[in-house]
Amino acid sequence: QVQLVESGGGLVQPGGSLRLSCATSGFSLDSYAIGWFRQAPGKEREGVSCIDNHDMTTYYKNSVSGRFTISRDNAKNTVYLQMNSLKPEDTAVYYCAAGPYFSRFELQEYDYWGQGTQVTVSS
C-alpha cells in the first residue's frame, strides 16, 4: 500500500518558520521525484517545490524562492520542506506527491498524493 503522510503544519505568525515532513511507504522513494503543492480555499492547487530522484535538481515557485528549501532523506523515506519568512499568502493546505519522473509542476505526472497538512500564517 503506497502512502504519503504530511505533518508539521500549524499556526505561525508572519515571518516565522515551519518544517513540513512527508513520510512515505509502499514504494522506493529513491526511484521517484517528489513535489510539494498547496491549495488555498477557493483556489486551484499550485506547485511549490519539487526535487529530482537522480541528481537532486530542485525547482521552486518564484514567490517562495529564497524562503523555502526542499530536501530528501531516502534512507528515512522522508521528504522535507523548510519554510522560512512565512507570509499570510502562504496559508494553504500543503500536499506532497510522488511521480516516476522529474516533471516539475505538471500535476498529471504525479501518481501518489498525501492527504495534506494545514499551514496558517496569521498574526
Side-chain angles (χ1 to χ4, degrees):
Q1 179 68 43
V2 172
Q3 289 189 328
L4 291 81
V5 180
E6 303 92 339
S7 63
L11 175 64
V12 64
Q13 295 188 178
S17 298
L18 287 172
R19 186 177 71 168
L20 305 185
S21 298
C22 176
T24 71
S25 61
F27 67 100
S28 298
L29 181 59
D30 60 2
S31 297
Y32 283 79
I34 299 294
W36 283 98
F37 298 80
R38 67 187 183 188
Q39 188 168 22
K43 296 184 178 180
E44 297 294 320
R45 189 168 299 188
E46 64 177 1
V48 177
S49 183
C50 52
I51 186 167
D52 189 23
N53 60 307
H54 182 61
D55 60 1
M56 296 188 294
T57 298
T58 58
Y59 188 78
Y60 297 90
K61 175 180 174 63
N62 191 50
S63 63
V64 310
S65 181
R67 299 189 297 121
F68 291 10
T69 303
I70 189 171
S71 62
R72 63 192 299 160
D73 188 337
N74 291 334
K76 295 182 178 180
N77 296 315
T78 302
V79 180
Y80 305 95
L81 184 68
Q82 179 67 47
M83 306 186 295
N84 298 325
S85 302
L86 284 161
K87 304 175 180 179
E89 53 262 43
D90 296 317
T91 296
V93 176
Y94 283 70
Y95 302 87
C96 62
Y101 306 103
F102 185 59
S103 304
R104 302 207 290 187
F105 298 148
E106 295 295 333
L107 275 68
Q108 68 272 20
E109 298 297 329
Y110 290 88
D111 298 322
Y112 309 115
W113 293 80
Q115 297 301 307
T117 185
Q118 176 71 48
V119 171
T120 302
V121 185
S122 177
S123 59

